[in-house]
Amino acid sequence: MKRSSRYIPYGRQWIDQKDISSAISVLKSDFITQGPKVKEFEDKIADYCGAKYAVAVSSGTAALHIACLAAGIKKGDEVITTPISFVASANCILHCSGEPIFADVQEDTININPTEVEKKITKRTAAIIPVDFAGHPCDLREIQKIAKRHNLMVIEDACHALGAKYRGTRIGSCDFSDMAVFSFHPVKHITTGEGGMVLTNRKDLYKELITLRNHGIVRSRTDLLNKNEGSWYYEMQDLGFNYRITDFQCALGISQLEKLERFIKRRRQIAGKYHKELSKISGLILPVEKDYAKSSWHIYVITVNRKREKIYNELSKKGISVNVHYRPIYLHPFYKRLGYKEGLCPKAERYYKEAITIPLYPAMHEDEINYIVTNLKKIVNNLKRLQ
Ligand SMILES: *Cc1c(COP(=O)(O)O)cnc(C)c1O
């Protein structure tokens, strides 16, 4: 069959002239990395989310890595996370020599199920990494209760959920977690090209994160172990990394942040339209929004109880860029080599067989939304006729 001349990506950034000018003005300035824009971006995101501290880094993955290190994850520790996420949510545990433990998901939100989390806790459990899947917050209060009972750290992988709310508080406020992590990859809510951030309300974690971002180097006089050297002096107190983000990326991020509320509003509008139109098609299961949540709709995932591959391929042929978020992390060859087996999280595995992500991003046009809805209706109805 001929491919359609139309092409709709599943996600796309929105960069306007103002964004471009902001980045350019930094490129013409004295500091293109680690200048004033980094702190300004951190302060603005912290302020927006309602957290005390923020540390901007080179990617969401880097942010997860230093968050796990700051949380003290080390060899012998178990960390509980969800199988339905991008691989980085579990890789960060391995990077700290910890052991990822996968807890199954809730059938409606596809978020980690707090009851399953509690079942997986052992003497070795050190932390929980919930992921606000698709922009829908996890039941964070329940997760926090479990963490408090067992003295565990909570690191929220909020890479899908900038702008979302949980029981009226903004995701990233860290009201229910020790740290929250964001990504500024182009498919996320706002972008810096590559980039990420860790938010926290704890000063001790903040200081640790700042140090880890820059090789483990400490410069502040008060924190030096040896205070007798000159003003050139700095100490490497820990083994850190170069996870710095540049000033021009942060200028872009600041400019993007000004549009975030508009972006979220548009994402919620599109999700609303999808919901209205697609709920008329039998055989499709649509994403939910719980009463405790206000989703920021990073992605829109429908599930089909049969013929997923057929529907997926037909949509692709129409130039609609569909996706599957995600294959359970532990089913990737690398994780299988570590000994993880099929059957570990049955709900996640079943979801994976049925899920299709359809396009959703603020720059989408009305006619593109209509095109997707019309084609999806046609495809599903044709399949019904054929059966
Ligand atoms: C995007 C994403 C990451 C990684 O972020 P990068 O900035 O691409 O490194 C981690 N976790 C989740 C859930 C993500 O969606």
Side-chain angles (χ1 to χ4, degrees):
M1 205 193 271
K2 201 167 106 26
R3 253 181 190 274
S4 162
S5 58
R6 202 187 257 264
Y7 175 72
I8 309 174
Y10 92 88
R12 192 183 195 283
Q13 71 278 10
W14 172 317
I15 305 271
D16 61 18
Q17 195 49 49
K18 194 151 171 277
D19 293 328
I20 294 166
S21 308
S22 312
I24 288 175
S25 68
V26 172
L27 287 170
K28 291 177 175 167
S29 77
D30 291 337
F31 300 100
I32 63 170
T33 188
Q34 301 299 288
K37 292 294 173 190
V38 177
K39 186 74 168 69
E40 188 185 332
F41 186 40
E42 289 169 343
D43 288 348
K44 286 196 159 141
I45 295 270
D47 206 47
Y48 173 80
C49 294
K52 277 204 187 109
Y53 308 103
V55 179
V57 289
S58 50
S59 70
T61 303
L64 280 168
H65 186 194
I66 60 171
C68 283
L69 286 171
I73 309 300
K74 57 183 189 314
K75 197 170 163 61
D77 288 344
E78 292 176 355
V79 179
I80 301 171
T81 191
T82 174
I84 302 295
S85 185
F86 183 53
V87 291
S89 306
N91 291 351
C92 57
I93 304 163
L94 293 172
H95 284 306
C96 300
S97 309
E99 186 183 339
I101 303 291
F102 296 97
D104 211 348
V105 296
Q106 297 173 323
E107 274 166 310
D108 52 0
T109 63
I110 317 300
N111 274 329
I112 197 167
N113 186 339
T115 314
E116 297 298 318
V117 169
E118 190 137 36
K119 282 189 205 159
K120 300 274 177 168
I121 290 172
T122 71
K123 283 199 296 287
R124 291 167 57 200
T125 310
I128 309 169
I129 305 181
V131 178
D132 303 312
F133 177 71
H136 187 293
C138 291
D139 199 345
L140 294 169
R141 198 166 68 187
E142 293 311 304
I143 291 166
Q144 188 189 42
K145 274 187 205 159
I146 295 165
K148 285 203 162 144
R149 264 203 298 282
H150 300 274
N151 199 20
L152 310 174
M153 297 283 278
V154 179
I155 302 164
E156 249 187 293
D157 180 344
C159 289
H160 289 189
L162 182 63
K165 281 183 175 168
Y166 173 74
R167 295 189 193 280
T169 70
R170 221 31 95 223
I171 289 297
S173 68
C174 300
D175 283 355
F176 301 91
S177 59
D178 296 284
M179 285 173 273
V181 168
F182 291 119
S183 160
F184 307 120
H185 179 277
V187 298
K188 307 292 163 68
H189 293 85
I190 63 169
T191 190
T192 58
E194 299 281 0
M197 203 177 278
V198 189
L199 280 78
T200 183
N201 290 322
R202 284 178 49 178
K203 189 159 189 196
D204 58 331
L205 293 175
Y206 172 66
K207 285 172 83 171
E208 188 76 31
L209 292 164
I210 289 279
T211 307
L212 287 167
R213 170 174 69 183
N214 190 30
H215 307 279
I217 287 172
V218 170
R219 283 177 191 277
S220 140
R221 297 297 292 173
T222 50
D223 296 324
L224 291 174
L225 298 176
N226 178 1
K227 297 185 201 292
N228 301 323
E229 296 281 332
S231 56
W232 64 85
Y233 181 74
Y234 62 81
E235 281 172 354
M236 182 185 139
Q237 293 186 354
D238 211 337
L239 183 60
F241 310 88
N242 174 359
Y243 279 166
R244 296 184 305 260
I245 187 170
T246 65
D247 233 39
F248 53 93
Q249 288 176 290
C250 290
L252 173 58
I254 293 164
S255 180
Q256 286 263 297
L257 183 59
E258 286 165 16
K259 290 184 277 287
L260 178 60
E261 282 306 292
R262 258 206 289 143
F263 288 166
I264 303 286
K265 202 170 152 212
R266 181 64 184 144
R267 284 179 179 276
R268 292 186 60 81
Q269 247 176 17
I270 297 168
K273 174 140 188 181
Y274 274 151
H275 191 85
K276 182 163 167 276
E277 295 300 325
L278 301 181
S279 55
K280 296 173 193 159
I281 309 175
S282 68
L284 291 189
I285 298 153
L286 305 182
V288 299
E289 190 172 51
K290 300 290 238 187
D291 53 5
Y292 57 71
K294 202 158 178 213
S295 176
S296 55
W297 293 105
H298 165 55
I299 49 176
Y300 194 92
V301 182
I302 56 172
T303 47
V304 293
N305 41 31
R306 49 203 298 278
K307 303 245 195 273
R308 192 265 305 266
E309 200 177 332
K310 183 91 183 142
I311 298 171
Y312 185 99
N313 290 339
E314 291 294 321
L315 285 166
S316 295
K317 277 184 205 155
K318 291 286 176 192
I320 300 167
S321 170
V322 275
N323 234 295
V324 175
H325 294 100
Y326 297 91
R327 179 181 174 83
I329 294 173
Y330 61 82
L331 292 181
H332 283 281
F334 179 83
Y335 278 84
K336 280 191 160 168
R337 280 209 302 279
L338 294 179
Y340 293 90
K341 299 251 169 3
E342 215 157 310
L344 182 60
C345 298
K347 294 207 164 100
E349 289 177 26
R350 178 164 171 205
Y351 159 83
Y352 168 63
K353 293 196 175 90
E354 302 178 341
I356 303 175
T357 305
I358 60 174
L360 171 57
Y361 51 94
M364 262 178 111
H365 294 296
E366 271 330 285
D367 70 313
E368 289 173 324
I369 303 166
N370 293 333
Y371 179 80
I372 292 163
V373 167
T374 310
N375 278 291
L376 195 51
K377 273 184 194 162
K378 258 193 235 160
I379 292 163
V380 174
N381 288 336
N382 274 343
L383 284 174
K384 270 186 216 145
R385 254 205 306 281
L386 290 178
Q387 79 194 3

